[in-house]
Amino acid sequence: FILLLTFYIYFPVLNADFFWDDKIFFFEQDTYTKGVWSWKAVAQSVLPHASYFRPLVFSTYIYEIKIFGLSPSIFHTTNLFIHLVNIVLAYHLARILLTKINITHSSYKALLVTLIYAIHPTQIETVAWIAGRFDLLAAFFSFISLILFIQYKNNKAFITLGLFTWFCALLSKDSAVLILPIVFFLFSALDDNKNWLISVKHTILENKFLLLGMISVFLIYYVLRVEALPHALIVNNQLNYLLDYKPLNRVILVLYLITEYTLHAIFPFFNVGPIHVFDQNTIHSTKWYIYPCIAAFILTALIYGLYKKKNIAIFFTLFLIALSLVIQIIPIFSGGNTISDRFLYFPLFFFLLSIMCLNFTYFKKYTLTFIIGWIILALWSVYTIVPLWKNDLTLWGWQYITHPESNA
């Protein structure tokens, strides 16, 4: 039912055109349109202002052109198919994790996580945009890796397969590197020992093969990346006006974005789209002062929850780890983007798991009403916004009407 519902609300995207960066990929790169694969073609950065190293995704583009021709419908169909598969994988992983932490009604809660993950409005950009395949494939291989690492962590054959799929995730998008800290944090958190230091020690000793394997895979990936792109790391220069103004603003920005992404995950209905304006006026706004306070409160509660090994704190920490590159904790690979819907595609899964760990007893009377209302509003948002991702005219016309200050 969830798969059919998702296919129905995203069906209009199958008739969408090339737009935005798609045109750079397919009309300014002769190597792609010829349908001839070469390492030089798939390993290049493509965008002059970016430091992309995503050869696996570009390889899929080349072979689709070779087999089906330069048809946007084929690319959109592939994207939607990957999203549907990711929904199945998200359900499987949610069920594994919720069962491991002994959450009551884990199967039903896993289904609820899956439904919300499938229809969440922030997923529109990733699914509807052909270039969103970076995030789709990275999530696809990351889900498989996590399932293999968690469910078969004592089986070297499955671990080896998981290392291969993680390598594929890295070749799809750089942010997949965060699977390494996610895995070892999760293993330590699920350890029965209440002492974190002992749990971490147990995790490393019991998973030495996995740790050495992940380090080896990362080194291979890093060598390939540096060989293909001499300037493998990019630093965010577009926020210099903010970060050079006050050293403290780096901390404030991180706290601001933690709140921004959290709210975006909870209430995405009225602020979805390709551009989220963040300019100099932001640092003079009320949000600039209130959001860091909210984040400070969240982090304080999070530290206490981790100390007690509360499940909600564990999964919310995984949410923050999965977002760490784009919330400027590590200021690389992020360009000038601060808020972007596609950055939530994979981290959203852990956020939803953290919500499932809430104690709804106190709100039992209103919980069902809220959930049904949220789902209806999410479905309506996706149903009405997806058709706007048809071509450049509809996309940027809608963007300008929504955010005239963005100069779309």
Side-chain angles (χ1 to χ4, degrees), residues 47-320:
L47 298 179
H49 59 276
S51 183
Y52 287 170
F53 180 66
R54 298 164 185 183
L56 187 58
V57 179
F58 291 131
S59 295
T60 65
Y61 291 154
I62 288 175
Y63 282 104
E64 278 175 80
I65 292 171
K66 186 175 182 178
I67 297 170
F68 301 105
L70 194 60
S71 169
S73 296
I74 295 297
F75 293 104
H76 286 297
T77 301
T78 303
N79 275 21
L80 180 53
F81 175 75
I82 297 171
H83 180 54
L84 294 175
V85 175
N86 284 345
I87 291 169
V88 177
L89 294 173
Y91 169 72
H92 190 52
L93 183 56
R95 192 170 181 182
I96 291 171
L97 291 173
L98 292 176
T99 302
K100 274 188 175 293
I101 60 176
N102 298 316
I103 291 289
T104 55
H105 309 299
S106 57
S107 296
Y108 296 109
K109 289 186 176 180
L111 276 174
L112 185 57
V113 166
T114 307
L115 174 61
I116 297 174
Y117 184 82
I119 65 169
H120 199 283
T122 59
Q123 310 290 48
I124 297 173
E125 179 179 335
T126 310
V127 180
W129 187 26
I130 293 173
R133 191 175 300 180
F134 300 136
D135 296 272
L136 287 167
L137 274 183
F140 169 73
F141 289 114
S142 295
F143 277 134
I144 294 175
S145 299
L146 286 173
I147 291 169
L148 292 172
F149 292 153
I150 295 167
Q151 196 164 19
Y152 306 102
K153 67 177 183 177
N154 297 318
N155 188 312
K156 288 187 177 180
F158 282 108
I159 291 298
T160 303
L161 180 58
L163 291 171
F164 173 74
T165 55
W166 183 51
F167 183 61
C168 291
L170 287 169
L171 296 180
S172 300
K173 191 171 182 181
D174 326 90
S175 58
V177 70
L178 296 169
I179 292 299
L180 196 158
I182 285 173
V183 166
F184 281 89
F185 176 86
L186 185 60
F187 283 178
S188 299
L190 294 178
D191 191 287
D192 292 333
N193 200 299
K194 294 296 181 182
N195 187 310
W196 272 99
L197 291 176
I198 296 176
S199 294
V200 171
K201 182 181 178 181
H202 283 175
T203 297
I204 293 173
L205 291 176
E206 291 176 4
N207 300 278
K208 287 184 290 186
F209 178 78
L210 175 58
L211 179 59
L212 290 173
M214 295 191 84
I215 292 172
S216 301
V217 166
F218 173 75
L219 289 176
I220 294 170
Y221 161 77
Y222 185 76
V223 169
L224 288 173
R225 181 186 174 92
V226 172
E227 182 273 332
L229 302 173
H231 304 290
L233 303 182
I234 60 171
V235 179
N236 190 340
N237 295 318
Q238 297 185 34
L239 295 176
N240 281 346
Y241 70 85
L242 170 63
L243 303 179
D244 291 346
Y245 180 66
K246 279 184 180 179
L248 182 61
N249 277 348
R250 164 64 66 187
V251 177
I252 295 175
L253 178 62
V254 170
L255 294 174
Y256 174 89
L257 292 174
I258 287 174
T259 303
E260 188 81 84
Y261 272 109
T262 302
L263 293 176
H264 204 46
I266 300 171
F267 298 110
F269 313 111
F270 311 108
N271 193 27
V272 291
I275 299 295
H276 296 266
V277 180
F278 185 94
D279 57 25
Q280 296 190 35
N281 294 326
T282 304
I283 64 174
H284 303 298
S285 66
T286 304
K287 288 201 308 183
W288 182 249
Y289 300 102
I290 293 177
Y291 279 21
C293 295
I294 296 173
F297 173 79
I298 291 173
L299 292 177
T300 302
L302 194 61
I303 292 169
Y304 175 78
L306 288 175
Y307 173 72
K308 295 290 188 179
K309 281 203 172 183
K310 298 290 185 181
N311 295 323
I312 183 173
I314 291 168
F315 288 123
F316 194 85
T317 300
L318 292 174
F319 168 67
L320 294 183

